Amino acid sequence: MSSTTACGYDFKSGERYLVYASRSSGELLPRVSLCSRTRPSDAAFDDLELLRAAQQGRSETRIFGSVWRSDHTSANAGGSTGLQSGVKIVATGNGQEFETVTDSSGWFRFTRLPLGQYTVRAWLNNHFSKEGRYAPTLSAQQGCAEVSFHFNAGARVAGSLTGPDGQPMAQATVVIKDVGLPKTVDAQNAGLFWAMTDRQGRYEIEALPPGRYSVGISSPQTSGADVPYLLVSPRQGTATARRAPLSVAPDQNLEGVDIQHPANIELQTVSGVVRLPDGSPADAAVVVRDAAHGWLLQQVKVDADGRFALKLFVGQSYRIHAYNFQLGHHDDQHSQPLTVLVGQKVEPLELRLAWPPGHVRR
């Protein structure tokens, strides 16, 4: 028989458990709560050691925990989650530093530590480290703490977004796109990762496969408008790079990828018409890409007369083309792409659809 009284696992017949319970004055039976530290005895080593020390009148300090790694990424949706052995753990406090590694079961422990506050950090490799969610304090009243770490497979990019005045920009969207993926309509959402900034303007994007990424933001200044992402040049350290792709290595931890919103942004309407090979209006979609790296930024449907109007950012270059989505996948008609630098005078565009070379109509 089994029960789900405890939180996170089933009780199984024949297994031994360490059960946490409490009993108030006047109660005959002890009381258990749904989510507690109740667990199988073979997973309660640190709890049992501390209880034995208390029974013997010994005061023992201990920081312990586990390291988990999830292999779920956009490139590996069926990945696994498990405890990670051999991970370096460093605890710093009271002017001292203590180091250990996770054992074969993915657990670590520091014992007999001086009382005080500690910072605990796990080093998955030379690139990637992560600090515990809180800084545990060991005191005479509470001499133990558990700190667990959860890593997503892949790299991490983190930084802050500030306005032109240098103040944090909260609740804005930061997006990065793997520009090394095939430039096809079908791959428009592949390799796209995003995060919302917090109240301090900070963002964090995890589980990134290695690659080359362009960076964009959803500008609060254009909230509610149907516009593409505003492509930006993040700073790393004190240098602001040209808008070149951000190179990310396997499991790399890129901190300080900071973004400052441009002081002045302006939108310009770029309009045009899409025509079939015979010159009649087409029922088509217009695709807007970053001219430099091919990032698909926007896709809009034309009206009944084949016309479209795009609101694009002045000063940025776009590659615009159209395709006929009414046909089957193998019978797509595409127009030649046109490169547009917004800000210069742009005449209405005419995108003429054509059959691909060598196409045989069915």
Side-chain angles (χ1 to χ4, degrees), residues 268-276 279-282 285-289 298 300 302-303 305-312 316-322 335-353:
Q268 178 178 324
T269 299
V270 176
S271 60
V273 63
V274 181
R275 299 190 184 279
L276 292 171
S280 60
V286 175
V287 177
V288 180
R289 295 183 183 273
Q298 192 178 25
V300 299
V302 299
D303 65 16
D305 297 319
R307 299 190 178 279
F308 62 90
L310 307 168
K311 291 183 178 180
L312 304 176
Q316 300 205 345
S317 293
Y318 301 92
R319 192 166 73 244
I320 301 172
H321 78 280
S335 71
Q336 287 294 320
L338 299 177
T339 299
V340 174
L341 174 59
V342 181
Q344 298 177 345
K345 184 177 180 181
V346 180
E347 299 293 338
L349 306 178
E350 180 173 307
L351 303 176
R352 183 67 66 101
L353 299 177

Side-chain angles (χ1 to χ4, degrees), residues 77-95:
S80 60
T81 300
L83 289 158
Q84 194 81 6
S85 63
V87 178
K88 183 173 77 171
I89 310 294
V90 176
T92 306
N94 298 312

Side-chain angles (χ1 to χ4, degrees), residues 223-307:
S223 178
D226 185 14
V227 298
Y229 294 115
L230 175 64
L231 301 182
V232 293
S233 302
R235 299 190 309 274
Q236 287 187 269
T238 58
T240 301
R242 294 166 48 200
R243 200 165 68 235
L246 188 69
S247 294
V248 177
D251 284 340
Q252 188 173 10
N253 185 25
L254 284 177
E255 293 271 5
V257 182
D258 299 328
I259 304 164
Q260 185 166 34
H261 194 289
N264 297 299
I265 62 171
E266 184 181 347
L267 291 170
Q268 178 178 324
T269 299
V270 176
S271 60
V273 63
V274 181
R275 299 190 184 279
L276 292 171
D278 62 7
S280 60
D283 187 5
V286 175
V287 177
V288 180
R289 295 183 183 273
D290 167 30
H293 306 297
W295 179 357
L296 195 157
L297 297 167
Q298 192 178 25
Q299 184 170 295
V300 299
K301 189 179 182 302
V302 299
D303 65 16
D305 297 319
R307 299 190 178 279

Side-chain angles (χ1 to χ4, degrees), residues 69 125-128 153-156 208-211 247-253:
R69 173 172 172 144
N125 53 34
N126 290 332
H127 287 307
F128 207 158
R156 171 179 174 269
L208 295 173
S247 294
V248 177
D251 284 340
Q252 188 173 10
N253 185 25

Side-chain angles (χ1 to χ4, degrees), residues 18-171:
L18 172 64
V19 178
Y20 279 81
S22 61
R23 182 167 55 192
S24 301
S25 177
E27 289 185 334
L28 181 62
L29 297 175
R31 184 188 301 271
V32 296
S33 63
L34 180 62
C35 290
S36 69
R37 292 190 60 80
T38 295
R39 60 192 60 200
S41 57
D42 59 3
F45 174 83
D46 292 280
D47 300 63
L48 292 170
E49 286 291 295
L50 289 165
L51 289 170
R52 292 187 185 108
Q55 282 183 327
Q56 297 169 9
R58 293 186 289 110
S59 176
E60 181 173 317
T61 56
R62 178 178 298 233
I63 295 176
F64 62 98
S66 55
V67 176
W68 296 79
R69 173 172 172 144
S70 170
D71 290 325
H72 294 272
T73 67
S74 62
N76 182 27
S80 60
T81 300
L83 289 158
Q84 194 81 6
S85 63
V87 178
K88 183 173 77 171
I89 310 294
V90 176
T92 306
N94 298 312
Q96 301 181 70
E97 185 173 278
F98 305 88
E99 182 177 320
T100 188
V101 295
T102 54
D103 61 22
S104 59
S105 300
W107 285 81
F108 68 90
R109 56 192 52 85
F110 298 98
T111 59
R112 300 179 182 177
L113 297 171
L115 300 181
Q117 188 173 48
Y118 289 85
T119 298
V120 185
R121 183 177 287 273
W123 295 84
L124 191 62
N125 53 34
N126 290 332
H127 287 307
F128 207 158
S129 69
K130 182 177 283 191
E131 194 171 299
R133 288 183 177 272
Y134 66 97
T137 299
L138 304 183
S139 64
Q141 292 74 32
Q142 184 171 332
C144 64
E146 182 175 5
V147 182
S148 294
F149 297 87
H150 295 265
F151 287 92
N152 288 316
R156 171 179 174 269
V157 172
S160 62
L161 173 63
T162 55
D165 57 359
Q167 295 301 307
M169 296 187 71
Q171 298 301 302

